[in-house]
Amino acid sequence: MPDIQSPIAFLRSQFFSIPPYPTKKYTSQIIIVTGSNAGLGLEASRHFVRLDAAKVILAVRNLEKGEAAKKSIEESTGRTGVVEVWQLDLAHYESVKDFAKRAQGLERLDILVENAGIVTFNYSMMEDNESTITTNVVSPILHSLLLLPKLRETGAKFNTLPRLVFVTSFVHWMTQFPEREEEKIFEALADEKKARMDDRYNLSKLLEMYGIQEIAEQVTASKKGKIVVNHSNPGWVITEVMREWTGLKLLIFKIARTIFARSTEVGSRTTVNAAEGGEETHGQFLDDCTIGERSPLLQDQAVQKRVWSELSEKLEKIQPGILQNL
């Protein structure tokens, strides 16, 4: 696995482990992919359209860029009338709630891919958190919980197995998460004086993964209807997430990326693979399209419960009663 303590394993994954090209059909299915105007989300959506999905909804912040992505998919697949572009801004809770409300009107929802996220080294507040925490942690979990009833409804109505897929990362191994020693974790993360922005993306992925594991556990315990909840690591992929970097740092990064990173299309195969995962993938971290190894911190149940307790409190303030969807 791509552990920073195991560079040989990382290189093996990047150079010699090629995710399989997706071939499974998604006929009749409706799929939502967040953050799909570019990068992994765009390429995963392109695969879903190519593989006969009935409707693929690009959930994007910028509608103009979303329309450009739609055109690109239609031109490359030859399929029109399949892609729709809906606005979703994970930096704002009302946008998340508005999107979920609109999605309740869909005939069905078979697959929800929570892919959107940001990388920033600049501190700013969005809603009640530093922007990375709102966009990469709170809002994706909020969005998924709001749409859980629709996924269950689809499974019951069409006798199918819906999937809730999150795009996570091997970088959860790269944080020591010292904020876990604070009395209030999320309050500490919102404190500009304490913010370790060079590690914030890595930490945001770890926090999101704690939330995913809790969702999976509680979906299993609730017995309200089967849904596969999993999350996948695309590896190091050529995207524009480091757009804030400039000068020599950016040049070095681009050279390293050219040598080591996977193409965006190849990385997106891991997302599509997770979307076809069976019950054996429920609650699992998928690495190179197989069940992967989690960091020791991610396996720490006590820390996970603390994070979930604070996150649950936030979610209930944003949307009272939302935890009843689990």
Side-chain angles (χ1 to χ4, degrees), residues 108-179:
R108 59 193 290 173
L109 177 57
D110 298 271
I111 299 168
L112 172 59
V113 179
E114 298 286 359
N115 164 75
I118 62 170
V119 178
T120 181
F121 302 99
N122 300 315
Y123 180 94
S124 65
M125 288 289 288
M126 287 294 178
E127 298 288 359
D128 53 341
N129 313 284
E130 182 274 319
S131 61
T132 311
I133 301 302
T134 293
T135 306
N136 294 4
V137 184
V138 181
S139 284
I141 299 298
L142 171 67
H143 191 240
S144 65
L145 293 188
L146 288 170
L147 289 175
L148 270 181
K150 191 67 183 181
L151 288 165
R152 284 199 181 99
E153 175 191 295
T154 299
K157 183 176 180 180
F158 296 96
N159 193 28
T160 57
L161 184 61
R163 274 79 168 184
L164 171 56
V165 176
F166 293 81
V167 177
T168 55
S169 177
F170 67 88
V171 302
H172 79 280
W173 281 81
M174 298 170 66
T175 180
Q176 297 300 311
F177 190 16
E179 293 86 356

Side-chain angles (χ1 to χ4, degrees), residues 101-300:
K101 185 176 180 180
R102 182 179 180 184
Q104 300 304 322
L106 292 169
E107 178 187 6
R108 59 193 290 173
L109 177 57
D110 298 271
I111 299 168
L112 172 59
V113 179
E114 298 286 359
N115 164 75
I118 62 170
V119 178
T120 181
F121 302 99
N122 300 315
Y123 180 94
S124 65
M125 288 289 288
M126 287 294 178
E127 298 288 359
D128 53 341
N129 313 284
E130 182 274 319
S131 61
T132 311
I133 301 302
T134 293
T135 306
N136 294 4
V137 184
V138 181
S139 284
I141 299 298
L142 171 67
H143 191 240
S144 65
L145 293 188
L146 288 170
L147 289 175
L148 270 181
K150 191 67 183 181
L151 288 165
R152 284 199 181 99
E153 175 191 295
T154 299
K157 183 176 180 180
F158 296 96
N159 193 28
T160 57
L161 184 61
R163 274 79 168 184
L164 171 56
V165 176
F166 293 81
V167 177
T168 55
S169 177
F170 67 88
V171 302
H172 79 280
W173 281 81
M174 298 170 66
T175 180
Q176 297 300 311
F177 190 16
E179 293 86 356
R180 71 186 187 278
E181 304 298 337
E182 298 279 353
E183 183 178 353
K184 294 288 186 178
I185 294 170
F186 283 89
E187 284 185 12
L189 292 171
D191 186 341
E192 184 174 7
K193 294 179 180 178
K194 297 180 179 179
R196 300 176 306 106
M197 295 305 297
D198 58 333
D199 184 53
R200 186 52 55 98
Y201 179 73
N202 305 332
L203 178 54
S204 75
K205 287 287 121 178
L206 176 65
L207 295 174
E208 182 185 29
M209 292 163 83
Y210 283 135
I212 295 164
Q213 291 182 162
E214 277 292 329
I215 291 173
E217 291 170 14
Q218 296 198 33
V219 163
T220 299
S222 73
K223 299 181 180 179
K224 293 179 181 178
K226 286 186 177 179
I227 297 174
V228 168
V229 181
N230 61 33
H231 52 120
S232 65
N233 165 39
W236 189 8
V237 177
I238 296 175
T239 65
E240 297 304 318
V241 294
M242 296 299 183
R243 60 178 62 91
E244 287 185 359
W245 281 1
T246 58
L248 182 60
K249 181 182 288 188
L250 179 61
L251 177 61
I252 294 172
F253 172 78
K254 285 187 173 181
I255 292 171
R257 185 182 65 180
T258 300
I259 296 170
F260 296 110
R262 291 170 171 165
S263 73
T264 312
E265 184 279 316
V266 170
S268 75
R269 297 177 190 180
T270 62
T271 303
V272 181
N273 174 268
E276 66 183 61
E279 292 185 50
E280 73 282 358
T281 71
H282 179 66
Q284 299 293 339
F285 170 57
L286 303 177
D287 186 16
D288 286 335
C289 300
T290 61
I291 294 173
E293 185 180 353
R294 298 170 299 152
S295 73
L297 267 176
L298 187 55
Q299 298 178 59
D300 190 323

